[in-house]
Amino acid sequence: MKDTMIDAFRDAVLTIFDRDEASALLTQAFFDNPAHVFLYPDAVTRRTRLMWLMKANLGVQFALGRSFAVRDRSERVAAMGFWHPPGSPEASPALLARHGLLALPFRHGLETFRCTLKVINMIEARRKACLNGQPSWYLNNMVVRFDYQGRGLGSSILRRELSYVVDTSPFPASLVTQRPQNVTFYEKLGFQVTNAEPIAINGRSFPNWIMVRQKPR
């Protein structure tokens, strides 16, 4: 069946030169995401801090992952995401330093840095446990521009990605989300919740779901 939603946009592969636009889009999309509110509870400074964090992290994403995106008629990024292929290496200290992430404790405070590391390590340990050591396509930073949300663009682009990238390989796909509405969205695309434990640190917590989509038989 012809996907008219996708046909209204132009496919794009993002590069490091798109980092400013992509980081702005991610900041808008994740401003009220529970994990980021947990890390940056002050709403006044959160946007500026998130913008820096997203821009630095995107440098690592471009180095380790594979981007997918579509642009609208104005050449804005309308939707985007990254796949970390099965067997992707962990980000090395040299790579983190190259893109500025090791400056996090100096820019946002040592406690925020420590908390961020704990959150990342807890989530990643659970995701790997859910996969029982099996490599997977890890879906990261999947977002749709606010203008196009609720119109089926996200499901159209991800359905195509799953068909072309994941289902042609022997590996499953995995992802992490902190929003219940996203759980429903991804379940419609074949993902199943494999862990729904909240992330709790120092008496504070936020919801977290790990989801896995096995390759169709």
Side-chain angles (χ1 to χ4, degrees):
M1 181 182 294
K2 193 172 180 61
D3 195 328
T4 55
M5 172 56 73
I6 284 289
D7 289 344
F9 298 86
R10 179 178 72 80
D11 289 338
V13 175
L14 303 183
T15 71
I16 197 71
F17 298 107
D18 298 300
R19 190 162 59 164
D20 286 345
E21 181 183 9
S23 59
L25 180 56
L26 289 169
T27 299
Q28 179 188 44
F30 289 114
F31 181 77
D32 59 352
N33 186 62
H36 297 97
V37 173
F38 180 88
L39 294 172
Y40 299 111
D42 180 13
V44 176
T45 59
R46 187 186 312 142
R47 190 172 303 278
T48 301
R49 293 187 170 196
L50 268 184
M51 181 72 80
W52 179 88
L53 180 66
M54 294 300 178
K55 188 172 182 178
N57 182 59
L58 275 170
V60 178
Q61 295 291 316
F62 283 121
L64 299 180
R66 292 171 43 178
S67 74
F68 59 91
V70 293
R71 294 186 180 275
D72 62 16
R73 290 186 174 89
S74 299
E75 286 300 305
R76 301 179 305 170
V77 175
M80 58 168 278
F82 284 85
W83 288 115
H84 284 220
S88 295
E90 300 286 339
S92 67
L95 181 63
L96 296 176
R98 187 182 313 141
H99 295 287
L101 279 168
L102 293 187
L104 181 60
F106 305 101
R107 297 183 66 100
H108 299 167
L110 185 58
E111 187 56 37
T112 297
F113 176 68
R114 288 172 174 165
C115 190
T116 301
L117 287 182
K118 287 180 182 178
V119 167
I120 292 172
N121 290 337
M122 289 176 70
I123 290 176
E124 189 60 9
R126 290 183 189 179
R127 187 179 71 89
K128 289 181 177 179
C130 288
L131 290 161
N132 296 314
Q134 183 182 20
S136 76
W137 291 92
Y138 182 30
L139 181 63
N140 200 274
N141 285 344
M142 172 71 187
V143 294
V144 176
R145 184 177 288 277
F146 181 78
D147 316 35
Y148 299 114
Q149 291 178 8
R151 295 166 58 179
L153 178 59
S155 57
S156 292
I157 187 174
L158 186 52
R159 187 177 294 110
R160 187 179 65 176
E161 284 291 314
L162 290 167
S163 175
Y164 291 170
V165 176
V166 178
D167 294 345
T168 57
S169 84
F171 302 103
S174 63
L175 62 86
V176 176
T177 186
Q178 289 87 40
R179 288 179 169 145
Q181 63 268 34
N182 287 354
V183 173
T184 303
F185 169 81
Y186 288 119
E187 283 178 335
K188 292 178 180 177
L189 293 166
F191 286 87
Q192 295 182 329
V193 174
T194 53
N195 185 291
E197 289 181 75
I199 299 293
I201 298 174
N202 298 332
R204 299 169 57 227
S205 66
F206 62 88
N208 189 74
W209 291 269
I210 297 170
M211 305 185 73
V212 174
R213 180 183 182 275
Q214 296 294 340
K215 182 178 178 180
R217 296 176 183 270

